[in-house]
PDB file of all heavy atoms in Angstrom:
ATOM      1  N   TYR A  19       0.842  -1.152   0.037  1.00 93.00           N
ATOM      2  CA  TYR A  19      -0.007   0.001   0.051  1.00 93.00           C
ATOM      3  C   TYR A  19       0.896   1.231  -0.009  1.00 93.00           C
ATOM      4  O   TYR A  19       2.011   1.213   0.615  1.00 93.00           O
ATOM      5  CB  TYR A  19      -0.955   0.065   1.270  1.00 93.00           C
ATOM      6  CG  TYR A  19      -2.049  -0.916   1.277  1.00 93.00           C
ATOM      7  CD1 TYR A  19      -1.866  -2.171   2.017  1.00 93.00           C
ATOM      8  CD2 TYR A  19      -3.260  -0.733   0.613  1.00 93.00           C
ATOM      9  CE1 TYR A  19      -2.820  -3.127   2.102  1.00 93.00           C
ATOM     10  CE2 TYR A  19      -4.300  -1.656   0.694  1.00 93.00           C
ATOM     11  CZ  TYR A  19      -4.003  -2.908   1.439  1.00 93.00           C
ATOM     12  OH  TYR A  19      -5.094  -3.726   1.544  1.00 93.00           O
ATOM     13  N   VAL A  20       0.438   2.232  -0.680  1.00 94.00           N
ATOM     14  CA  VAL A  20       0.998   3.572  -0.710  1.00 94.00           C
ATOM     15  C   VAL A  20      -0.050   4.544  -0.372  1.00 94.00           C
ATOM     16  O   VAL A  20      -1.065   4.747  -1.213  1.00 94.00           O
ATOM     17  CB  VAL A  20       1.819   3.989  -1.984  1.00 94.00           C
ATOM     18  CG1 VAL A  20       2.390   5.226  -1.744  1.00 94.00           C
ATOM     19  CG2 VAL A  20       2.774   2.890  -2.407  1.00 94.00           C
ATOM     20  N   ARG A  21       0.076   5.371   0.672  1.00 94.00           N
ATOM     21  CA  ARG A  21      -0.968   6.360   0.979  1.00 94.00           C
ATOM     22  C   ARG A  21      -0.327   7.747   0.851  1.00 94.00           C
ATOM     23  O   ARG A  21       0.754   8.141   1.318  1.00 94.00           O
ATOM     24  CB  ARG A  21      -1.278   6.292   2.554  1.00 94.00           C
ATOM     25  CG  ARG A  21      -2.328   7.289   3.097  1.00 94.00           C
ATOM     26  CD  ARG A  21      -3.667   7.133   2.600  1.00 94.00           C
ATOM     27  NE  ARG A  21      -4.555   8.150   3.190  1.00 94.00           N
ATOM     28  CZ  ARG A  21      -5.235   7.956   4.353  1.00 94.00           C
ATOM     29  NH1 ARG A  21      -5.169   6.879   5.015  1.00 94.00           N
ATOM     30  NH2 ARG A  21      -5.990   8.960   4.756  1.00 94.00           N
ATOM     31  N   TYR A  22      -1.031   8.505  -0.116  1.00 93.00           N
ATOM     32  CA  TYR A  22      -0.691   9.972  -0.453  1.00 93.00           C
ATOM     33  C   TYR A  22      -1.537  10.936   0.434  1.00 93.00           C
ATOM     34  O   TYR A  22      -2.474  10.543   0.973  1.00 93.00           O
ATOM     35  CB  TYR A  22      -0.883  10.146  -1.874  1.00 93.00           C
ATOM     36  CG  TYR A  22       0.138   9.527  -2.794  1.00 93.00           C
ATOM     37  CD1 TYR A  22      -0.184   8.195  -3.301  1.00 93.00           C
ATOM     38  CD2 TYR A  22       1.431   9.955  -3.032  1.00 93.00           C
ATOM     39  CE1 TYR A  22       0.665   7.608  -4.161  1.00 93.00           C
ATOM     40  CE2 TYR A  22       2.246   9.401  -3.842  1.00 93.00           C
ATOM     41  CZ  TYR A  22       1.936   8.180  -4.343  1.00 93.00           C
ATOM     42  OH  TYR A  22       2.914   7.460  -5.156  1.00 93.00           O
ATOM     43  N   LEU A  23      -0.962  12.207   0.460  1.00 91.00           N
ATOM     44  CA  LEU A  23      -1.722  13.215   1.230  1.00 91.00           C
ATOM     45  C   LEU A  23      -2.836  13.718   0.374  1.00 91.00           C
ATOM     46  O   LEU A  23      -3.835  14.129   0.857  1.00 91.00           O
ATOM     47  CB  LEU A  23      -0.725  14.407   1.443  1.00 91.00           C
ATOM     48  CG  LEU A  23       0.396  14.076   2.525  1.00 91.00           C
ATOM     49  CD1 LEU A  23       1.207  15.347   2.662  1.00 91.00           C
ATOM     50  CD2 LEU A  23      -0.138  13.607   3.918  1.00 91.00           C
ATOM     51  N   LYS A  24      -2.866  13.653  -0.983  1.00 90.00           N
ATOM     52  CA  LYS A  24      -3.959  14.199  -1.754  1.00 90.00           C
ATOM     53  C   LYS A  24      -4.456  13.144  -2.802  1.00 90.00           C
ATOM     54  O   LYS A  24      -3.553  12.216  -3.275  1.00 90.00           O
ATOM     55  CB  LYS A  24      -3.368  15.250  -2.555  1.00 90.00           C
ATOM     56  CG  LYS A  24      -2.916  16.560  -1.773  1.00 90.00           C
ATOM     57  CD  LYS A  24      -2.553  17.781  -2.598  1.00 90.00           C
ATOM     58  CE  LYS A  24      -1.942  18.896  -1.631  1.00 90.00           C
ATOM     59  NZ  LYS A  24      -1.588  19.976  -2.524  1.00 90.00           N
ATOM     60  N   PRO A  25      -5.656  13.142  -3.091  1.00 88.00           N
ATOM     61  CA  PRO A  25      -6.332  12.180  -4.117  1.00 88.00           C
ATOM     62  C   PRO A  25      -5.576  12.421  -5.508  1.00 88.00           C
ATOM     63  O   PRO A  25      -5.464  11.448  -6.122  1.00 88.00           O
ATOM     64  CB  PRO A  25      -7.806  12.632  -4.265  1.00 88.00           C
ATOM     65  CG  PRO A  25      -8.074  13.266  -2.756  1.00 88.00           C
ATOM     66  CD  PRO A  25      -6.807  14.014  -2.435  1.00 88.00           C
ATOM     67  N   SER A  26      -5.365  13.706  -5.824  1.00 88.00           N
ATOM     68  CA  SER A  26      -4.621  13.933  -7.158  1.00 88.00           C
ATOM     69  C   SER A  26      -3.238  13.255  -7.245  1.00 88.00           C
ATOM     70  O   SER A  26      -2.904  12.815  -8.425  1.00 88.00           O
ATOM     71  CB  SER A  26      -4.545  15.452  -7.412  1.00 88.00           C
ATOM     72  OG  SER A  26      -3.688  16.054  -6.349  1.00 88.00           O
ATOM     73  N   GLN A  27      -2.564  13.107  -6.092  1.00 91.00           N
ATOM     74  CA  GLN A  27      -1.335  12.400  -6.190  1.00 91.00           C
ATOM     75  C   GLN A  27      -1.473  10.965  -6.315  1.00 91.00           C
ATOM     76  O   GLN A  27      -0.592  10.273  -7.087  1.00 91.00           O
ATOM     77  CB  GLN A  27      -0.480  12.765  -4.880  1.00 91.00           C
ATOM     78  CG  GLN A  27      -0.208  14.274  -4.669  1.00 91.00           C
ATOM     79  CD  GLN A  27       0.253  14.487  -3.305  1.00 91.00           C
ATOM     80  OE1 GLN A  27       0.035  13.833  -2.374  1.00 91.00           O
ATOM     81  NE2 GLN A  27       0.971  15.791  -3.188  1.00 91.00           N
ATOM     82  N   ALA A  28      -2.472  10.375  -5.664  1.00 90.00           N
ATOM     83  CA  ALA A  28      -2.744   8.977  -5.765  1.00 90.00           C
ATOM     84  C   ALA A  28      -3.151   8.726  -7.252  1.00 90.00           C
ATOM     85  O   ALA A  28      -2.740   7.653  -7.889  1.00 90.00           O
ATOM     86  CB  ALA A  28      -3.855   8.509  -4.840  1.00 90.00           C
ATOM     87  N   ALA A  29      -4.045   9.555  -7.898  1.00 89.00           N
ATOM     88  CA  ALA A  29      -4.441   9.349  -9.269  1.00 89.00           C
ATOM     89  C   ALA A  29      -3.299   9.455 -10.230  1.00 89.00           C
ATOM     90  O   ALA A  29      -3.234   8.572 -11.115  1.00 89.00           O
ATOM     91  CB  ALA A  29      -5.496  10.329  -9.624  1.00 89.00           C
ATOM     92  N   ARG A  30      -2.416  10.392  -9.992  1.00 91.00           N
ATOM     93  CA  ARG A  30      -1.239  10.544 -10.780  1.00 91.00           C
ATOM     94  C   ARG A  30      -0.266   9.209 -10.724  1.00 91.00           C
ATOM     95  O   ARG A  30       0.221   8.698 -11.649  1.00 91.00           O
ATOM     96  CB  ARG A  30      -0.370  11.719 -10.458  1.00 91.00           C
ATOM     97  CG  ARG A  30       0.792  12.014 -11.376  1.00 91.00           C
ATOM     98  CD  ARG A  30       1.719  13.075 -10.773  1.00 91.00           C
ATOM     99  NE  ARG A  30       2.820  13.163 -11.746  1.00 91.00           N
ATOM    100  CZ  ARG A  30       4.083  13.828 -11.353  1.00 91.00           C
ATOM    101  NH1 ARG A  30       4.080  14.341 -10.079  1.00 91.00           N
ATOM    102  NH2 ARG A  30       5.088  13.816 -12.015  1.00 91.00           N
ATOM    103  N   ALA A  31      -0.132   8.744  -9.550  1.00 93.00           N
ATOM    104  CA  ALA A  31       0.624   7.464  -9.447  1.00 93.00           C
ATOM    105  C   ALA A  31       0.082   6.247 -10.177  1.00 93.00           C
ATOM    106  O   ALA A  31       0.796   5.566 -10.750  1.00 93.00           O
ATOM    107  CB  ALA A  31       0.752   7.179  -7.939  1.00 93.00           C
ATOM    108  N   ILE A  32      -1.241   6.117  -9.989  1.00 91.00           N
ATOM    109  CA  ILE A  32      -2.030   5.065 -10.763  1.00 91.00           C
ATOM    110  C   ILE A  32      -1.759   5.298 -12.337  1.00 91.00           C
ATOM    111  O   ILE A  32      -1.608   4.478 -13.127  1.00 91.00           O
ATOM    112  CB  ILE A  32      -3.438   5.062 -10.511  1.00 91.00           C
ATOM    113  CG1 ILE A  32      -3.605   4.473  -9.069  1.00 91.00           C
ATOM    114  CG2 ILE A  32      -4.215   4.141 -11.419  1.00 91.00           C
ATOM    115  CD1 ILE A  32      -5.069   4.608  -8.551  1.00 91.00           C
ATOM    116  N   GLU A  33      -1.847   6.630 -12.741  1.00 90.00           N
ATOM    117  CA  GLU A  33      -1.769   6.913 -14.226  1.00 90.00           C
ATOM    118  C   GLU A  33      -0.319   6.678 -14.733  1.00 90.00           C
ATOM    119  O   GLU A  33      -0.311   6.144 -15.863  1.00 90.00           O
ATOM    120  CB  GLU A  33      -2.293   8.322 -14.334  1.00 90.00           C
ATOM    121  CG  GLU A  33      -2.091   8.912 -15.700  1.00 90.00           C
ATOM    122  CD  GLU A  33      -3.283   8.594 -16.658  1.00 90.00           C
ATOM    123  OE1 GLU A  33      -4.355   8.302 -16.012  1.00 90.00           O
ATOM    124  OE2 GLU A  33      -3.204   8.813 -17.858  1.00 90.00           O
ATOM    125  N   GLU A  34       0.510   7.097 -13.900  1.00 92.00           N
ATOM    126  CA  GLU A  34       1.983   7.171 -14.598  1.00 92.00           C
ATOM    127  C   GLU A  34       2.877   6.104 -14.193  1.00 92.00           C
ATOM    128  O   GLU A  34       3.972   5.910 -14.722  1.00 92.00           O
ATOM    129  CB  GLU A  34       2.610   8.552 -14.206  1.00 92.00           C
ATOM    130  CG  GLU A  34       1.805   9.708 -14.738  1.00 92.00           C
ATOM    131  CD  GLU A  34       2.303  11.031 -14.493  1.00 92.00           C
ATOM    132  OE1 GLU A  34       3.465  11.090 -13.935  1.00 92.00           O
ATOM    133  OE2 GLU A  34       1.808  12.071 -14.726  1.00 92.00           O
ATOM    134  N   CYS A  35       2.615   5.332 -13.198  1.00 92.00           N
ATOM    135  CA  CYS A  35       3.664   4.332 -12.649  1.00 92.00           C
ATOM    136  C   CYS A  35       3.699   3.179 -13.779  1.00 92.00           C
ATOM    137  O   CYS A  35       2.732   2.941 -14.619  1.00 92.00           O
ATOM    138  CB  CYS A  35       3.197   3.756 -11.316  1.00 92.00           C
ATOM    139  SG  CYS A  35       1.855   2.581 -11.288  1.00 92.00           S
ATOM    140  N   ASP A  36       4.716   2.477 -13.706  1.00 91.00           N
ATOM    141  CA  ASP A  36       4.841   1.284 -14.600  1.00 91.00           C
ATOM    142  C   ASP A  36       3.758   0.306 -14.454  1.00 91.00           C
ATOM    143  O   ASP A  36       3.340  -0.044 -13.423  1.00 91.00           O
ATOM    144  CB  ASP A  36       6.170   0.531 -14.277  1.00 91.00           C
ATOM    145  CG  ASP A  36       6.657  -0.414 -15.274  1.00 91.00           C
ATOM    146  OD1 ASP A  36       6.043  -1.480 -15.346  1.00 91.00           O
ATOM    147  OD2 ASP A  36       7.438  -0.077 -16.229  1.00 91.00           O
ATOM    148  N   ARG A  37       3.246  -0.193 -15.563  1.00 89.00           N
ATOM    149  CA  ARG A  37       2.161  -1.027 -15.680  1.00 89.00           C
ATOM    150  C   ARG A  37       2.445  -2.372 -14.833  1.00 89.00           C
ATOM    151  O   ARG A  37       1.440  -3.051 -14.460  1.00 89.00           O
ATOM    152  CB  ARG A  37       1.744  -1.377 -17.001  1.00 89.00           C
ATOM    153  CG  ARG A  37       1.058  -0.293 -17.825  1.00 89.00           C
ATOM    154  CD  ARG A  37       0.621  -0.617 -19.153  1.00 89.00           C
ATOM    155  NE  ARG A  37      -0.543  -1.639 -18.983  1.00 89.00           N
ATOM    156  CZ  ARG A  37      -1.212  -2.100 -19.873  1.00 89.00           C
ATOM    157  NH1 ARG A  37      -0.812  -1.930 -21.252  1.00 89.00           N
ATOM    158  NH2 ARG A  37      -2.183  -3.052 -19.772  1.00 89.00           N
ATOM    159  N   SER A  38       3.638  -2.772 -14.647  1.00 90.00           N
ATOM    160  CA  SER A  38       3.927  -4.011 -13.851  1.00 90.00           C
ATOM    161  C   SER A  38       3.496  -3.922 -12.410  1.00 90.00           C
ATOM    162  O   SER A  38       3.382  -4.845 -11.746  1.00 90.00           O
ATOM    163  CB  SER A  38       5.434  -4.254 -13.894  1.00 90.00           C
ATOM    164  OG  SER A  38       6.159  -3.259 -13.258  1.00 90.00           O
ATOM    165  N   PHE A  39       3.311  -2.698 -11.975  1.00 91.00           N
ATOM    166  CA  PHE A  39       2.918  -2.527 -10.545  1.00 91.00           C
ATOM    167  C   PHE A  39       1.346  -2.750 -10.457  1.00 91.00           C
ATOM    168  O   PHE A  39       0.838  -3.023  -9.331  1.00 91.00           O
ATOM    169  CB  PHE A  39       3.181  -1.125 -10.006  1.00 91.00           C
ATOM    170  CG  PHE A  39       4.586  -0.722  -9.777  1.00 91.00           C
ATOM    171  CD1 PHE A  39       5.343   0.085 -10.578  1.00 91.00           C
ATOM    172  CD2 PHE A  39       5.294  -1.582  -8.710  1.00 91.00           C
ATOM    173  CE1 PHE A  39       6.591   0.360 -10.203  1.00 91.00           C
ATOM    174  CE2 PHE A  39       6.686  -1.251  -8.532  1.00 91.00           C
ATOM    175  CZ  PHE A  39       7.302  -0.384  -9.345  1.00 91.00           C
ATOM    176  N   ARG A  40       0.549  -2.665 -11.530  1.00 90.00           N
ATOM    177  CA  ARG A  40      -0.855  -2.869 -11.506  1.00 90.00           C
ATOM    178  C   ARG A  40      -1.525  -2.180 -10.428  1.00 90.00           C
ATOM    179  O   ARG A  40      -2.259  -2.703  -9.619  1.00 90.00           O
ATOM    180  CB  ARG A  40      -1.061  -4.420 -11.447  1.00 90.00           C
ATOM    181  CG  ARG A  40      -0.684  -5.331 -12.546  1.00 90.00           C
ATOM    182  CD  ARG A  40      -1.104  -6.745 -12.511  1.00 90.00           C
ATOM    183  NE  ARG A  40      -0.440  -7.446 -13.657  1.00 90.00           N
ATOM    184  CZ  ARG A  40      -1.114  -7.570 -14.855  1.00 90.00           C
ATOM    185  NH1 ARG A  40      -2.161  -6.820 -15.125  1.00 90.00           N
ATOM    186  NH2 ARG A  40      -0.538  -8.306 -15.731  1.00 90.00           N
ATOM    187  N   ALA A  41      -1.285  -0.837 -10.291  1.00 89.00           N
ATOM    188  CA  ALA A  41      -1.712  -0.117  -9.279  1.00 89.00           C
ATOM    189  C   ALA A  41      -3.233   0.280  -9.433  1.00 89.00           C
ATOM    190  O   ALA A  41      -3.725   0.485 -10.571  1.00 89.00           O
ATOM    191  CB  ALA A  41      -1.036   1.387  -9.299  1.00 89.00           C
ATOM    192  N   ILE A  42      -3.915   0.174  -8.308  1.00 89.00           N
ATOM    193  CA  ILE A  42      -5.433   0.455  -8.366  1.00 89.00           C
ATOM    194  C   ILE A  42      -5.683   1.190  -6.899  1.00 89.00           C
ATOM    195  O   ILE A  42      -4.917   1.128  -5.980  1.00 89.00           O
ATOM    196  CB  ILE A  42      -6.306  -0.745  -8.309  1.00 89.00           C
ATOM    197  CG1 ILE A  42      -6.142  -1.635  -7.151  1.00 89.00           C
ATOM    198  CG2 ILE A  42      -6.052  -1.507  -9.651  1.00 89.00           C
ATOM    199  CD1 ILE A  42      -7.190  -2.810  -7.088  1.00 89.00           C
ATOM    200  N   LEU A  43      -6.850   1.828  -6.837  1.00 85.00           N
ATOM    201  CA  LEU A  43      -7.214   2.454  -5.651  1.00 85.00           C
ATOM    202  C   LEU A  43      -7.477   1.281  -4.593  1.00 85.00           C
ATOM    203  O   LEU A  43      -8.264   0.320  -4.959  1.00 85.00           O
ATOM    204  CB  LEU A  43      -8.453   3.293  -5.723  1.00 85.00           C
ATOM    205  CG  LEU A  43      -8.249   4.632  -6.398  1.00 85.00           C
ATOM    206  CD1 LEU A  43      -9.523   5.252  -6.584  1.00 85.00           C
ATOM    207  CD2 LEU A  43      -7.407   5.555  -5.486  1.00 85.00           C
ATOM    208  N   ALA A  44      -7.105   1.379  -3.338  1.00 83.00           N
ATOM    209  CA  ALA A  44      -7.318   0.371  -2.383  1.00 83.00           C
ATOM    210  C   ALA A  44      -8.588   0.390  -1.859  1.00 83.00           C
ATOM    211  O   ALA A  44      -9.264   1.426  -1.761  1.00 83.00           O
ATOM    212  CB  ALA A  44      -6.336   0.415  -1.245  1.00 83.00           C
ATOM    213  N   GLU A  45      -9.065  -0.727  -1.275  1.00 74.00           N
ATOM    214  CA  GLU A  45     -10.376  -0.772  -0.592  1.00 74.00           C
ATOM    215  C   GLU A  45     -10.257  -0.089   0.748  1.00 74.00           C
ATOM    216  O   GLU A  45      -9.136  -0.039   1.258  1.00 74.00           O
ATOM    217  CB  GLU A  45     -10.808  -2.317  -0.342  1.00 74.00           C
ATOM    218  CG  GLU A  45     -11.128  -3.150  -1.648  1.00 74.00           C
ATOM    219  CD  GLU A  45     -12.495  -2.708  -2.167  1.00 74.00           C
ATOM    220  OE1 GLU A  45     -13.238  -2.163  -1.298  1.00 74.00           O
ATOM    221  OE2 GLU A  45     -12.756  -2.946  -3.249  1.00 74.00           O
ATOM    222  N   PRO A  46     -11.462   0.390   1.276  1.00 69.00           N
ATOM    223  CA  PRO A  46     -11.268   1.069   2.488  1.00 69.00           C
ATOM    224  C   PRO A  46     -10.856   0.074   3.586  1.00 69.00           C
ATOM    225  O   PRO A  46     -10.954  -1.118   3.438  1.00 69.00           O
ATOM    226  CB  PRO A  46     -12.807   1.445   2.888  1.00 69.00           C
ATOM    227  CG  PRO A  46     -13.513   1.454   1.469  1.00 69.00           C
ATOM    228  CD  PRO A  46     -12.714   0.515   0.606  1.00 69.00           C
ATOM    229  N   LYS A  47     -10.267   0.674   4.658  1.00 65.00           N
ATOM    230  CA  LYS A  47      -9.599  -0.278   5.792  1.00 65.00           C
ATOM    231  C   LYS A  47     -10.649  -1.111   6.386  1.00 65.00           C
ATOM    232  O   LYS A  47     -10.326  -2.203   6.919  1.00 65.00           O
ATOM    233  CB  LYS A  47      -8.887   0.564   6.713  1.00 65.00           C
ATOM    234  CG  LYS A  47      -7.604   1.229   6.209  1.00 65.00           C
ATOM    235  CD  LYS A  47      -6.816   1.869   7.124  1.00 65.00           C
ATOM    236  CE  LYS A  47      -5.594   2.467   6.591  1.00 65.00           C
ATOM    237  NZ  LYS A  47      -4.796   3.163   7.646  1.00 65.00           N
ATOM    238  N   ASN A  48     -11.899  -0.681   6.484  1.00 58.00           N
ATOM    239  CA  ASN A  48     -12.820  -1.407   7.227  1.00 58.00           C
ATOM    240  C   ASN A  48     -13.352  -2.664   6.450  1.00 58.00           C
ATOM    241  O   ASN A  48     -14.261  -3.253   6.851  1.00 58.00           O
ATOM    242  CB  ASN A  48     -13.925  -0.479   7.544  1.00 58.00           C
ATOM    243  CG  ASN A  48     -14.776   0.101   6.403  1.00 58.00           C
ATOM    244  OD1 ASN A  48     -14.393  -0.235   5.344  1.00 58.00           O
ATOM    245  ND2 ASN A  48     -15.716   1.023   6.616  1.00 58.00           N
ATOM    246  N   LYS A  49     -13.017  -2.810   5.134  1.00 54.00           N
ATOM    247  CA  LYS A  49     -13.224  -4.037   4.448  1.00 54.00           C
ATOM    248  C   LYS A  49     -12.313  -5.171   4.589  1.00 54.00           C
ATOM    249  O   LYS A  49     -11.141  -4.829   5.109  1.00 54.00           O
ATOM    250  CB  LYS A  49     -13.419  -3.593   2.938  1.00 54.00           C
ATOM    251  CG  LYS A  49     -14.689  -2.718   2.635  1.00 54.00           C
ATOM    252  CD  LYS A  49     -14.903  -2.640   1.193  1.00 54.00           C
ATOM    253  CE  LYS A  49     -16.179  -1.823   0.916  1.00 54.00           C
ATOM    254  NZ  LYS A  49     -16.389  -1.695  -0.647  1.00 54.00           N
ATOM    255  N   SER A  50     -12.584  -6.346   4.347  1.00 53.00           N
ATOM    256  CA  SER A  50     -11.736  -7.423   4.440  1.00 53.00           C
ATOM    257  C   SER A  50     -10.462  -7.288   3.546  1.00 53.00           C
ATOM    258  O   SER A  50     -10.627  -7.386   2.373  1.00 53.00           O
ATOM    259  CB  SER A  50     -12.447  -8.815   4.241  1.00 53.00           C
ATOM    260  OG  SER A  50     -11.563  -9.784   4.244  1.00 53.00           O
ATOM    261  N   SER A  51      -9.359  -7.199   4.083  1.00 58.00           N
ATOM    262  CA  SER A  51      -8.094  -7.035   3.234  1.00 58.00           C
ATOM    263  C   SER A  51      -7.753  -8.364   2.522  1.00 58.00           C
ATOM    264  O   SER A  51      -7.316  -8.276   1.474  1.00 58.00           O
ATOM    265  CB  SER A  51      -6.877  -6.667   4.136  1.00 58.00           C
ATOM    266  OG  SER A  51      -6.522  -7.487   5.178  1.00 58.00           O
ATOM    267  N   GLU A  52      -7.996  -9.517   3.254  1.00 60.00           N
ATOM    268  CA  GLU A  52      -7.639 -10.711   2.656  1.00 60.00           C
ATOM    269  C   GLU A  52      -8.592 -11.007   1.325  1.00 60.00           C
ATOM    270  O   GLU A  52      -8.104 -11.440   0.480  1.00 60.00           O
ATOM    271  CB  GLU A  52      -7.872 -11.893   3.589  1.00 60.00           C
ATOM    272  CG  GLU A  52      -6.768 -11.889   4.662  1.00 60.00           C
ATOM    273  CD  GLU A  52      -6.818 -13.185   5.533  1.00 60.00           C
ATOM    274  OE1 GLU A  52      -7.682 -13.933   5.277  1.00 60.00           O
ATOM    275  OE2 GLU A  52      -6.073 -13.203   6.661  1.00 60.00           O
ATOM    276  N   SER A  53      -9.914 -10.797   1.376  1.00 58.00           N
ATOM    277  CA  SER A  53     -10.793 -10.946   0.264  1.00 58.00           C
ATOM    278  C   SER A  53     -10.317  -9.933  -0.778  1.00 58.00           C
ATOM    279  O   SER A  53     -10.404 -10.184  -1.977  1.00 58.00           O
ATOM    280  CB  SER A  53     -12.130 -10.694   0.733  1.00 58.00           C
ATOM    281  OG  SER A  53     -12.441  -9.377   1.040  1.00 58.00           O
ATOM    282  N   PHE A  54      -9.853  -8.717  -0.396  1.00 60.00           N
ATOM    283  CA  PHE A  54      -9.606  -7.703  -1.445  1.00 60.00           C
ATOM    284  C   PHE A  54      -8.168  -8.242  -2.110  1.00 60.00           C
ATOM    285  O   PHE A  54      -8.141  -8.240  -3.291  1.00 60.00           O
ATOM    286  CB  PHE A  54      -9.213  -6.547  -0.789  1.00 60.00           C
ATOM    287  CG  PHE A  54      -8.716  -5.350  -1.676  1.00 60.00           C
ATOM    288  CD1 PHE A  54      -9.395  -5.054  -2.876  1.00 60.00           C
ATOM    289  CD2 PHE A  54      -7.535  -4.633  -1.512  1.00 60.00           C
ATOM    290  CE1 PHE A  54      -8.854  -4.098  -3.792  1.00 60.00           C
ATOM    291  CE2 PHE A  54      -7.058  -3.701  -2.241  1.00 60.00           C
ATOM    292  CZ  PHE A  54      -7.734  -3.382  -3.411  1.00 60.00           C
ATOM    293  N   GLU A  55      -7.246  -8.869  -1.433  1.00 64.00           N
ATOM    294  CA  GLU A  55      -6.108  -9.344  -1.944  1.00 64.00           C
ATOM    295  C   GLU A  55      -6.451 -10.488  -2.935  1.00 64.00           C
ATOM    296  O   GLU A  55      -5.757 -10.542  -4.046  1.00 64.00           O
ATOM    297  CB  GLU A  55      -5.113  -9.763  -0.773  1.00 64.00           C
ATOM    298  CG  GLU A  55      -4.485  -8.765  -0.001  1.00 64.00           C
ATOM    299  CD  GLU A  55      -3.784  -9.257   1.213  1.00 64.00           C
ATOM    300  OE1 GLU A  55      -3.476 -10.463   1.210  1.00 64.00           O
ATOM    301  OE2 GLU A  55      -3.811  -8.560   2.198  1.00 64.00           O
ATOM    302  N   HIS A  56      -7.309 -11.377  -2.420  1.00 62.00           N
ATOM    303  CA  HIS A  56      -7.694 -12.483  -3.360  1.00 62.00           C
ATOM    304  C   HIS A  56      -8.256 -11.980  -4.654  1.00 62.00           C
ATOM    305  O   HIS A  56      -7.934 -12.479  -5.821  1.00 62.00           O
ATOM    306  CB  HIS A  56      -8.638 -13.307  -2.666  1.00 62.00           C
ATOM    307  CG  HIS A  56      -9.104 -14.601  -3.359  1.00 62.00           C
ATOM    308  ND1 HIS A  56     -10.297 -14.418  -4.246  1.00 62.00           N
ATOM    309  CD2 HIS A  56      -8.637 -15.653  -3.559  1.00 62.00           C
ATOM    310  CE1 HIS A  56     -10.500 -15.682  -4.763  1.00 62.00           C
ATOM    311  NE2 HIS A  56      -9.508 -16.444  -4.529  1.00 62.00           N
ATOM    312  N   ASP A  57      -9.288 -10.955  -4.538  1.00 61.00           N
ATOM    313  CA  ASP A  57      -9.806 -10.478  -5.757  1.00 61.00           C
ATOM    314  C   ASP A  57      -8.913  -9.900  -6.655  1.00 61.00           C
ATOM    315  O   ASP A  57      -8.939  -9.968  -8.020  1.00 61.00           O
ATOM    316  CB  ASP A  57     -10.965  -9.513  -5.349  1.00 61.00           C
ATOM    317  CG  ASP A  57     -12.198 -10.160  -4.740  1.00 61.00           C
ATOM    318  OD1 ASP A  57     -12.242 -11.385  -4.827  1.00 61.00           O
ATOM    319  OD2 ASP A  57     -12.920  -9.550  -4.061  1.00 61.00           O
ATOM    320  N   TYR A  58      -7.920  -9.102  -6.037  1.00 64.00           N
ATOM    321  CA  TYR A  58      -6.870  -8.408  -6.781  1.00 64.00           C
ATOM    322  C   TYR A  58      -6.026  -9.399  -7.713  1.00 64.00           C
ATOM    323  O   TYR A  58      -5.852  -9.239  -8.794  1.00 64.00           O
ATOM    324  CB  TYR A  58      -6.046  -7.615  -5.864  1.00 64.00           C
ATOM    325  CG  TYR A  58      -4.948  -6.738  -6.541  1.00 64.00           C
ATOM    326  CD1 TYR A  58      -5.176  -5.573  -7.146  1.00 64.00           C
ATOM    327  CD2 TYR A  58      -3.671  -7.315  -6.447  1.00 64.00           C
ATOM    328  CE1 TYR A  58      -4.052  -4.884  -7.702  1.00 64.00           C
ATOM    329  CE2 TYR A  58      -2.547  -6.591  -7.101  1.00 64.00           C
ATOM    330  CZ  TYR A  58      -2.764  -5.386  -7.616  1.00 64.00           C
ATOM    331  OH  TYR A  58      -1.816  -4.737  -8.247  1.00 64.00           O
TER     332      TYR A  58
END
């Protein structure tokens, strides 16, 4: 996980980082992290 201070920074990271990182917005912390990892 990478947490930025601003949504625009997170959006830029998803947009511009190497595709091998397969970056997406993370699920909220109150959701099951294990099920999110499995789906991912």
